[in-house]
Amino acid sequence: MKKDQKNYSKEHLLFLKKRRIDLAIVRALRVGLLLFLLLFWELSTRLGWSDPFLTSSPSRILSTIGSLYKEGTLFYHIGVTLLETFVGFFIAVAVGCIVALAFWWSDLCRRVLEPYIVVLNALPKIALGPLIIIWFGTGSKAIVFMTVAVGLIVVIMHMLSAFLETDPNKILLLRSMGASKFQILKKLVIPSSLPAFISMLKVAVGMAWIGSIMGEYLVSRAGLGYLIVYGGQVFKLDLVMSATVILCVLAAGMYFLVVLLEKILVKNTDN
Amino acid sequence: MKEKMLSFHDVKHIYHTVRGEVTATENLTFTVEKGEFVALIGPSGCGKSTLLSLAAGLLTPSEGEVSRRGSIGYMLQRDELFPWRTIEKNIRLPLEVQHRLDSESLERARTLAEKYGLGEFLQSYPSQLSGGMRQRAALIRTLAFDPDVLLLDEPFSALDYQTRLLVTQDVAKIIRSEGKTALLVTHDISEAISLASRVVVLTKRPARVAAEHELCFDGENDPLRRRENKQFSEWFELLWKELNA
């Protein structure tokens, strides 16, 4: 939108202005709502409407995060959880995409294994908890495994349906040019699945956080999930709330990274 | 004696589904000679697209023989341009697939694109082009690797009427000036009459040849002028009767 604004009619300028105001109102209301909720939370504890021992409060959360920082453990816990989440996320996405490609390639393989995938998808992964502890011990390995377990099947199902939805007419076109199956995959199936890949990443980010925090509930000695469990056990709800707030920020950050990736990668589609 | 580019000899093709079998075509015999523009018309659902797949060698007939000389270029109902590729890269696609990205072929593709008014759009994406231009780009893509026979599967049916007339005009001109042999499949009688040098009328399923006509129009090949010609309505009437016989 770098066109010379002087070329526009008065009406169009007014339209643009209205749009800008519209956007500004939405943004202001978003921030305003957050501020209002924080203020209400803070005031309700100060004025004695609620017990800060049970509900914590924004100021107590800030001071808890501050003291974690002074103890030097804040970034340690964040780092542990981030690493587990990222490693699990990347493994789930990579393995999931490869399996989905194999299923696209071999119809027999897909038809034989599909019921297994459906059942594994329905299985609550937390049920694997004891097995994971026995197989992988109580370290980060177990948590990464849990993260992969939660995300993998979703990635497979999401990508497989994207691959299978490739426009049959475009496949016909490539075949009429004499394309091999590998060429069809490389030139058509993979690039046309890019938007689906991005939307899968958005889902997988959420799954990875579920997996890593669930894993930390099960076995960990460090990380944000560990802080939450520990805080709950010793009734330090300030700690629980603080870790939760940090999680919110991190999860949002990871989501926005994916959105950024989308802006870079997905530029040209027919829609 | 002209060269036969494509011929169907006593072709039968059966479709198998779980619910049963369908004979798409039986005893089908016709030929396309070099430089001809043949239109196949038939009632809807007579298996026209199957015939093109047979012609392209994507399907093997259950019985009989399909023989073709030289390479085949296939043009579908929609342009099927890949939205993530620029027009230039779309046009190159068949060359890439056939590992013929040598400078001579690339130059040919470029020249074709420039000759037919796509020069300034080479770096654009398909979504930035109008429907007519997109279909033109699809044709240039088909011509880029210099196929001997063009197979056209109702290539204008997805366009609105106005664009359709223009694109038909366009395509007819390009195909004739490049001296290509073409086989068009359509259910649109007037399109067939305005484009073809010969029309083959098919029966209902199983499709076979009901009638064949040379259209000469006293040497007039321009689709719009053909539509204005008084022979046009006579042909239309005849073909209409044969189609609905």
Side-chain angles (χ1 to χ4, degrees):
Chain A
M1 289 285 136
K2 280 194 178 161
K3 266 191 185 167
D4 194 357
Q5 295 230 337
K6 281 170 198 159
N7 291 337
Y8 290 140
S9 69
K10 225 175 175 180
E11 196 177 309
H12 188 71
L13 287 173
L14 211 68
F15 163 80
L16 288 178
K17 194 176 168 192
K18 205 168 162 246
R19 246 186 86 85
R20 271 199 306 274
I21 292 172
D22 214 46
L23 272 175
I25 289 175
V26 171
R27 288 209 182 109
L29 283 176
R30 279 182 191 158
V31 177
L33 180 66
L34 181 69
L35 289 178
F36 170 76
L37 287 174
L38 289 175
L39 199 70
F40 179 77
W41 192 2
E42 186 66 38
L43 277 178
S44 70
T45 55
R46 297 272 163 109
L47 298 175
W49 300 342
S50 66
D51 183 356
F53 181 68
L54 292 177
T55 61
S56 188
S57 74
S59 59
R60 291 168 71 126
I61 289 172
L62 272 181
S63 74
T64 309
I65 293 175
S67 64
L68 280 174
Y69 177 71
K70 265 178 229 143
E71 286 165 28
T73 54
L74 177 67
F75 290 111
Y76 171 64
H77 289 297
I78 290 177
V80 166
T81 302
L82 264 185
L83 187 69
E84 289 159 355
T85 311
F86 268 101
V87 173
F89 171 79
F90 281 117
I91 294 175
V93 168
V95 175
C97 286
I98 290 168
V99 173
L101 279 177
F103 281 9
W104 178 84
W105 189 272
S106 161
D107 217 36
L108 180 70
C109 176
R110 175 177 65 82
R111 283 165 57 204
V112 170
L113 293 176
E114 222 162 24
Y116 292 85
I117 295 291
V118 171
V119 171
L120 283 178
N121 183 47
L123 176 81
K125 310 303 175 293
I126 193 82
L128 301 173
L131 285 180
I132 291 176
I133 294 173
I134 293 165
W135 290 348
F136 295 98
T138 56
S140 281
K141 238 200 280 177
I143 296 158
V144 169
F145 185 86
M146 184 57 106
T147 311
V148 174
V150 171
L152 182 64
I153 306 293
V154 177
V155 175
I156 294 175
M157 303 221 309
H158 205 111
M159 287 322 290
L160 180 62
S161 79
F163 292 153
L164 292 178
E165 266 166 29
T166 308
D167 185 348
N169 284 323
K170 289 196 171 64
I171 295 180
L172 180 72
L173 180 78
L174 278 176
R175 284 182 58 211
S176 79
M177 294 172 188
S180 65
K181 195 164 187 179
F182 182 69
Q183 282 178 319
I184 292 174
L185 181 70
K186 200 176 89 183
K187 296 197 186 301
L188 174 60
V189 176
I190 292 178
S192 71
S193 303
L194 191 63
F197 178 74
I198 298 290
S199 76
M200 175 278 286
L201 286 186
K202 288 179 185 166
V203 177
V205 165
M207 289 294 162
W209 284 105
I210 293 175
S212 64
I213 298 302
M214 211 156 79
E216 286 185 356
Y217 278 14
L218 269 175
V219 295
S220 68
R221 286 186 222 104
L224 294 167
Y226 163 79
L227 287 184
I228 292 173
V229 172
Y230 171 75
Q233 283 166 352
V234 300
F235 247 80
K236 278 169 83 175
L237 294 188
D238 291 339
L239 191 59
V240 175
M241 288 291 190
S242 301
T244 309
V245 167
I246 295 169
L247 264 178
C248 278
V249 173
L250 292 178
M254 201 159 153
Y255 186 84
F256 282 119
L257 280 183
V258 175
V259 173
L260 201 69
L261 190 72
E262 179 175 26
K263 288 217 171 110
I264 295 168
L265 287 180
V266 184
K267 280 184 191 135
N268 291 289
T269 59
D270 266 340
N271 309 316
Chain B
M1 183 73 194
K2 278 199 160 181
E3 228 181 317
K4 282 180 188 168
M5 298 305 287
L6 180 70
S7 65
F8 277 56
H9 187 74
D10 224 0
V11 169
K12 177 177 184 176
H13 190 75
I14 303 175
Y15 252 124
H16 302 276
T17 63
V18 185
R19 272 188 245 154
E21 55 177 359
V22 177
T23 308
T25 177
E26 202 171 10
N27 299 326
L28 181 70
T29 303
F30 70 91
T31 57
V32 180
E33 285 169 355
K34 194 175 171 78
E36 267 192 312
F37 196 131
V38 175
L40 286 180
I41 57 172
S44 49
C46 78
K48 292 182 290 261
S49 297
T50 311
L51 295 185
L52 281 187
S53 288
L54 285 166
L58 297 173
L59 286 175
T60 315
S62 311
E63 277 173 36
E65 198 188 355
V66 177
S67 56
R68 68 190 80 74
R69 170 169 302 177
S71 54
I72 296 282
Y74 204 141
M75 201 169 155
L76 294 125
Q77 285 182 22
R78 298 184 183 279
D79 54 67
E80 304 300 352
L81 295 169
F82 291 6
W84 56 87
R85 283 175 168 245
T86 59
I87 294 300
E88 181 171 35
K89 292 208 165 130
N90 264 295
I91 291 173
R92 272 184 193 182
L93 184 67
L95 299 174
E96 271 175 45
V97 167
Q98 295 167 4
H99 304 292
R100 279 168 44 186
L101 280 176
D102 49 285
S103 57
E104 195 189 325
S105 306
L106 285 176
E107 191 48 44
R108 221 192 93 78
R110 251 196 117 81
T111 316
L112 268 176
E114 264 152 29
K115 186 168 162 195
Y116 297 113
L118 282 168
E120 54 180 312
F121 298 112
L122 283 176
Q123 300 314 319
S124 308
Y125 285 89
S127 58
Q128 296 166 293
L129 267 64
S130 66
M133 278 314 244
R134 290 176 64 132
Q135 203 60 4
R136 195 190 285 194
L139 177 65
I140 302 300
R141 175 185 60 194
T142 316
L143 293 172
F145 69 104
D146 206 10
D148 299 300
V149 181
L150 291 174
L151 302 178
L152 311 171
D153 186 357
E154 304 191 1
F156 317 114
S157 61
L159 303 168
D160 62 84
Y161 191 70
Q162 197 75 14
T163 317
R164 191 172 178 155
L165 288 183
L166 289 173
V167 176
T168 307
Q169 196 78 1
D170 226 33
V171 167
K173 209 170 75 193
I174 297 172
I175 289 178
R176 290 207 204 265
S177 72
E178 297 296 317
K180 292 294 174 194
T181 309
L183 177 64
L184 166 77
V185 188
T186 181
H187 61 257
D188 186 330
I189 301 174
S190 47
E191 200 163 274
I193 303 171
S194 65
L195 277 166
S197 59
R198 188 151 58 89
V199 174
V200 176
V201 183
L202 300 174
T203 60
K204 283 202 297 272
R205 225 167 33 208
R208 71 191 81 181
V209 177
E212 263 188 77
H213 305 280
E214 290 281 345
L215 305 181
C216 85
F217 279 90
D218 310 316
E220 180 58 75
N221 284 333
D222 183 280
L224 278 178
R225 294 241 189 82
R226 275 193 176 192
R227 280 176 192 267
E228 289 159 5
N229 197 306
K230 71 175 192 318
Q231 290 176 47
F232 189 89
S233 52
E234 291 162 16
W235 279 119
F236 192 96
E237 222 169 296
L238 178 67
L239 293 173
W240 173 263
K241 275 186 197 142
E242 284 174 349
L243 260 185
N244 295 293

